[in-house]
Amino acid sequence: MKLIESVPNFSEGRRKEVVEKIVAEAKKYDRVWVLDWSMDADHNRSVITLVGEPENLINALFDMTKKAAELIDLRNHTGQHPRMGAADVIPLVPLYNTTMEECVEYSKILGRRIGEELGIPVYLYEKSATRPERQNLADIRKGEFEGFFEKIKDPLWKPDFGPDRVHPTAGVTAVGAREFLIAFNVNLGTRDVKIAEKIARAIRFSSGGLRYVKAIGVDLKGRGVVQVSINITNHKKTPLYRVFELIKMEAERYGVPVLGSEIVGLFPLESLLKTVSYYLRTDLNAKKVIESNLLEILVRESEK
Amino acid sequence: MKLIESVPNFSEGRRKEVVEKIVAEAKKYDRVWVLDWSMDADHNRSVITLVGEPENLINALFDMTKKAAELIDLRNHTGQHPRMGAADVIPLVPLYNTTMEECVEYSKILGRRIGEELGIPVYLYEKSATRPERQNLADIRKGEFEGFFEKIKDPLWKPDFGPDRVHPTAGVTAVGAREFLIAFNVNLGTRDVKIAEKIARAIRFSSGGLRYVKAIGVDLKGRGVVQVSINITNHKKTPLYRVFELIKMEAERYGVPVLGSEIVGLFPLESLLKTVSYYLRTDLNAKKVIESNLLEILVRESEK
């Protein structure tokens, strides 16, 4: 079996019936499973977590995008989170027996269909990007929906698929393959947020730290502690344990205790296996885990 | 969903067609999955790993025991491993949303059926034991098949279910609820097996160590290293990390490096979650793991 994860973001976080209709498009498909979905009214945005076999998942994502384009009108959309499309961004993440290269291929298949069949301009981002300035989603999204009517005229921002003009109500969409992103927070036993900021600088890529780490220092007001808040954008190459141990090491120079950590949202089994393998000085893989074996059998059964 | 694991041992490790017929009995059932099975010709014994929903799993185990009684004649059985029955021992292990108490109840349902319907005396062991001297499987099995014709006459060894006489060809069977057993080995960078033996003594229950640890020192001849070989009989109460860290601590007093560890066979996701939670100073559970969520959905689908 091959499994891909996708966490599409849609620009609707207030009308529950709209999000439910988008989710329903995914549920039509065999071997596509909706693990989780959530709405945020302030951001006016929803995030849906899907896992599925590649072909079916791509078809499901296409149908969800089509439904979002029918039901969401960005001309009336307000919210705190930057956005540029009804289906704003669709990442594909290799989960099980699937390579990054395959996810790149699938992102192009999906992007082409969205562009040609729905008339929505598509930008390939991250590992699927066709030029360096499109790797970073934030660079693509700069200017947002309203700004794109001008931005798209710049030859540098010619879409990878679809027409050279913004869809009047559904905007533009980013599609791309990327690694699973782990949001990881570490709490420090001090009230001094400067220490959290210094540690964040020490570990993050942008200031000389680990390649796949983004980090900031945050004051958890009222709790008497501060936090290093981290995104690990490639946990295979920059594993959780290395980030955690580096924070412990840096915290020590300030005599500050590491109180604990938390992983935000869902995370893949592989990140656990890598962590345990490091600490127990061994080399574990999913084939050794009872639940993985059972999952493999059940996915096989569901194919029948 | 509720899941129980069972690892029944059958006294046949040479005739593949016999073991396959026993395995086939399990495969008849919905929501019972054979994860693994293996035969050992020297031990003349096979071990089958099953996971399933309680009622169906119990029915599958009964049918497997019935088939084993038809096909295995202990009067002709030789092998290195001690044995007392065609179906020698049937453990039930709580895996998912199932308590130890429920496994004890199910072991009694299964034991009663084997005793009454198949005429095979059954001894409840471990958490299901009806008296202290029956907790330890080795104590029940002492004397083996041949010795049981006398042993069973002793009122102390009156079976929990079934007739007061040994089944002439299928012997007697032990059934019981227990925790998942983790076999865990730690390699030390020394040729001196006495150090492995000293560390084994330091950590094991029988000589003052951790409650659910059995351990011995082993010389890995030819590899230039020695090993502490461990069974953790309750990884929930004596977690992997505590055993490993204690070994590291003891190894340090001899100036001996801990080279690495290995977990033998399959292990449950929960043991990974407990290990990561300790080292990353957090508190993870299965609901946060993508693959667990998917497993839950698929088991629910398989019920339809």
Side-chain angles (χ1 to χ4, degrees), chain A residues 3 5 32-35 51 95-96 180 184 240-241 244-245 248 257-273 275-276 279-285 287-295 297-299 301-302, chain B residues 3 5 32-35 51 95-96 180 184 240-241 244-245 248 257-273 275-276 279-285 287-295 297-299 301-302:
Chain A
L3 291 178
E5 197 213 19
V32 172
W33 300 280
V34 178
L35 297 193
V51 171
L95 185 66
Y96 200 93
F180 193 91
F184 181 53
L240 264 177
Y241 71 80
F244 186 73
E245 289 297 321
K248 269 168 72 182
V258 172
L259 300 179
S261 74
E262 53 179 355
I263 302 178
V264 183
L266 300 179
F267 50 85
L269 177 63
E270 194 186 1
S271 65
L272 291 179
L273 289 163
T275 305
V276 173
Y279 286 109
L280 299 188
R281 303 184 188 181
T282 182
D283 189 14
L284 303 176
N285 62 59
K287 295 197 192 322
K288 303 264 285 179
V289 181
I290 290 175
E291 285 85 349
S292 292
N293 283 279
L294 189 51
L295 180 58
I297 290 171
L298 286 169
V299 171
E301 282 185 5
S302 77
Chain B
L3 292 178
E5 196 213 17
V32 171
W33 301 280
V34 178
L35 298 193
V51 170
L95 184 65
Y96 201 93
F180 193 92
F184 182 52
L240 264 176
Y241 71 80
F244 185 73
E245 290 297 321
K248 269 167 73 180
V258 172
L259 301 180
S261 74
E262 54 180 352
I263 301 178
V264 183
L266 300 180
F267 52 84
L269 176 63
E270 194 185 0
S271 65
L272 291 180
L273 290 163
T275 304
V276 174
Y279 286 109
L280 298 188
R281 303 184 189 179
T282 182
D283 190 16
L284 303 176
N285 62 60
K287 295 199 193 319
K288 303 264 286 178
V289 181
I290 289 175
E291 286 84 348
S292 293
N293 283 279
L294 189 52
L295 180 57
I297 290 170
L298 287 170
V299 171
E301 282 185 4
S302 78

Side-chain angles (χ1 to χ4, degrees), chain B residues 42 58 161 175 180 235 294:
Chain B
D42 293 334
I58 294 305
F161 298 111
V175 180
F180 193 92
H235 72 94
L294 189 52

